[in-house]
Amino acid sequence: MIILDYRDRRPIYEQIVERFQELMMSGGLEQDAQLPSVRSLAMDLSINPNTIQRAYAELERKGYIYSVKGKGSFVADNSALKDSRRQAVLQKQEETALAAAGLGIERETLKDVIDKIYGRGGKSDD
């Protein structure tokens, strides 16, 4: 579930936050799913429980999770966050397409790059 890179310059708690965000945005963790307890995740990752607590506090502050006293932490309704991130990605895509057009990169070249990323090996559905 969570894999840490000890060579990464970022703090461990930031890596944990990022991994959980990725899992939630990709559907790997669905709404109202219970997260592992601070102690159990700390033991699984062989790190200090305070690090997990800090990561969970950051996720809660950002609206990714919510806590229920005595029960644990759960995945919040992230549909608004997903929509916001999707809009940001589409905006970046539009900016990239405009920059590519300005540089004379053809539409088919951009489509090939996108198709390759999505695993179709450059084959278009057209």
Side-chain angles (χ1 to χ4, degrees):
M1 180 187 259
I2 302 289
I3 298 172
L4 301 173
D5 181 359
Y6 293 101
R7 292 178 291 177
D8 192 329
R9 290 181 179 254
R10 292 176 303 149
I12 298 295
Y13 86 93
E14 285 182 9
Q15 292 182 48
I16 294 168
V17 167
E18 183 179 283
R19 299 301 187 278
F20 272 119
Q21 287 173 333
E22 290 169 357
L23 285 168
M24 290 174 209
M25 291 296 110
S26 68
L29 282 174
E30 295 184 8
Q31 182 178 343
D32 297 323
Q34 186 170 8
L35 298 181
S37 72
V38 169
R39 271 192 202 150
S40 69
L41 187 56
M43 286 178 49
D44 289 346
L45 298 176
S46 300
I47 60 175
N48 190 314
N50 292 333
T51 303
I52 303 298
Q53 187 62 45
R54 186 171 181 187
Y56 280 13
E58 182 68 12
L59 286 165
E60 189 165 4
R61 186 187 69 76
K62 291 182 173 183
Y64 285 91
I65 66 172
Y66 63 93
S67 298
V68 176
K69 191 133 180 110
K71 299 282 186 186
S73 298
F74 299 84
V75 177
D77 177 7
N78 292 312
S79 57
L81 290 168
K82 282 183 186 179
D83 289 342
S84 173
R85 289 182 80 178
R86 284 183 182 134
Q87 290 301 326
V89 167
L90 291 173
Q91 179 65 37
K92 285 181 185 177
Q93 181 63 35
E94 186 175 325
E95 291 168 8
T96 300
L98 287 169
L103 293 171
I105 298 173
E106 294 186 15
R107 181 175 182 249
E108 283 302 315
T109 303
L110 283 178
K111 284 179 63 178
D112 289 346
V113 170
I114 292 169
D115 288 344
K116 190 174 189 179
I117 290 168
Y118 278 88
R120 290 186 284 185
K123 295 177 184 165
S124 178
D125 285 331
D126 294 345

